């Protein structure tokens, strides 16, 4: 029995990871620690909430006392650290909270794990690992179309979000280099799939198109992102936990580079294909909804991950092609209209109070 402490498990990737792990493993226990910011939604975990091997703890990763208590009361084997402020646009408006959660919160977790796992002689107990989940955005922007981000690519973050993630990555690296702290880091490209908060490109466009609203596209729409189906990211993290060489970092990405405008047009086309002719929403969905808006400040032009190392050394390959993943994702949002309505109305934030009566 392995005990996992998942931080940020009520968010998009964290909740997908919890579902993935319960599908793949029988002998695990998961403690999900999340402070339930606007991005955290316990509705994502409805299907697992009553399991004996799952526990939810509402706590802030910046809260040293609360985090140390979790480590002292539970024999944690693996920390999977997702909790973060994750939206670039919000970081441009309010950078401080990104530094507080992404940098200081990571420091609190690293310290608590180190204190719990360290032996008297400075070595660490067997079987412990801290998996820090990071992003390709720390590498900056690529201008040469034949270039890719490798694990050795120097960091060059441009937004407060990517700068805060880069800082957290360097802290993890410092713990590895200084203490031989048992950790791995993964830097993944843009994820898409179920349970993504509808401020991010794909669910935003799906939701707007279904509501007959304009589809706002930044600048000329030609910024390139490298898209990966969320389950393939979860698979990569699971493999790095099991097989990753201690102290190493692994890039994860599926070679799915797409311009933002291509993504928007694919969503429009797929919705037109999937929706039945008598669905009243279908008529309003066309490229006429696309509207170009002022570009994001400091908008990086192109991200592209080279996943060679994780493929070569750990045998990771993505299972879901973009063409299939985008269909699965759109179908999921169509079948979970209540989930989307709940989020867009803000009702999900009442869920915790209703469930836990606090
Ligand atoms: N979404 C992507 O495409 C992507 C790609 C690569 C890496 N990442 C990284 O993966 C992680 C998860 O991303 P996501 O898209 O699921 O984010 P998200 O915004 O959907 O979820 C973040 C979760 O963290 C929680 N949280 C925020 N601040 C907290 C705090 N102080 N204490 C405890 N919990 C807190 C939120 O309540 C939420 O549940 C992040 O670290 C992000 O940098 C994301």
């Amino acid at each position: 029995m392995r005990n996992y402490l998942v931080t940020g498990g009520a968010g998009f990737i964290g909740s997908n990871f919890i579902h993935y792990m319960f599908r793949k493993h029988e002998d695990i226990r998961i403690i999900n620690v999340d402070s339930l910011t606007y991005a955290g939604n316990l509705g994502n975990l409805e299907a697992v909430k009553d399991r004996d091997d799952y526990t939810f703890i509402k706590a802030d990763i910046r809260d040293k006392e609360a985090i140390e208590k979790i480590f002292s009361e539970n024999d944690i084997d693996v920390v999977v650290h997702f909790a973060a402020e994750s939206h670039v646009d919000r970081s441009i408006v309010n950078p401080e909270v990104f530094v507080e959660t992404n940098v200081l919160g990571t420091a609190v977790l690293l310290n608590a794990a180190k204190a719990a796992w360290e032996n008297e002689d400075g070595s660490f107990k067997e079987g412990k690992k801290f998996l820090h989940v990071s992003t390709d955005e720390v590498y900056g922007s690529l201008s040469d179309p034949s270039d890719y981000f490798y694990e050795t690519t120097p960091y060059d973050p441009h937004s407060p979000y990517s700068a805060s993630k880069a800082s957290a990555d360097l802290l993890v690296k410092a713990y590895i280099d200084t203490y031989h702290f048992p950790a791995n880091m993964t830097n993944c490209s843009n994820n898409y799939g179920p349970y993504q908060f509808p401020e991010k490109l794909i669910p935003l466009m799906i939701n707007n198109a279904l509501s007959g609203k304009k589809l706002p596209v930044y600048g000329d729409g030609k910024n390139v992102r490298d898209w990966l189906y969320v389950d393939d990211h979860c698979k990569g993290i699971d493999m790095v936990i099991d097989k990753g060489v201690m102290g190493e970092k692994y890039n994860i990405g599926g070679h799915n580079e797409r311009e933002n405008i291509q993504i928007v047009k694919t969503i429009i086309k797929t919705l037109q294909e999937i929706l039945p002719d008598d669905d009243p929403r279908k008529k309003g969905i066309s490229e006429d909804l696309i509207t170009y808006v002022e570009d994001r400040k400091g908008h990086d032009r192109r991200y592209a991950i080279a996943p060679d190392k994780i493929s070569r050394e750990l045998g990771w390959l993505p299972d879901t092609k973009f063409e299939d993943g985008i269909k699965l994702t759109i179908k999921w949002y169509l079948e979970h209209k209540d989930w989307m309505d709940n989020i867009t109305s803000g009702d999900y934030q009442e869920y915790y109070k209703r469930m836990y009566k606090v």
Side-chain angles (χ1 to χ4, degrees), residues 11-13 34-35 37 40 60-61 82 86 101 134 161 165 191:
F12 163 48
I13 307 176
D34 197 300
S35 64
T37 67
D60 195 310
I61 56 164
F82 293 100
S86 70
T101 287
S134 191
Y161 163 65
K165 290 297 291 187
N191 286 212

Side-chain angles (χ1 to χ4, degrees), residues 7-14 33-41 59-62 81-87 101 133-136 161 165 187-192 196-197 199-200 233:
T7 72
F12 163 48
I13 307 176
V33 176
D34 197 300
S35 64
L36 302 181
T37 67
Y38 78 94
N41 180 1
D60 195 310
I61 56 164
R62 294 167 293 183
H81 177 33
F82 293 100
E85 288 291 337
S86 70
H87 191 41
T101 287
V133 180
S134 191
T135 162
D136 59 357
Y161 163 65
K165 290 297 291 187
N187 292 76
C188 189
S189 60
N190 275 34
N191 286 212
Y192 69 99
Q196 188 165 29
F197 197 81
E199 64 185 353
K200 303 281 171 70
H233 185 189

Side-chain angles (χ1 to χ4, degrees), residues 11 15 32 182 191 199 222 252:
S15 57
N32 171 17
N191 286 212
E199 64 185 353
K222 293 191 187 302
I252 309 181

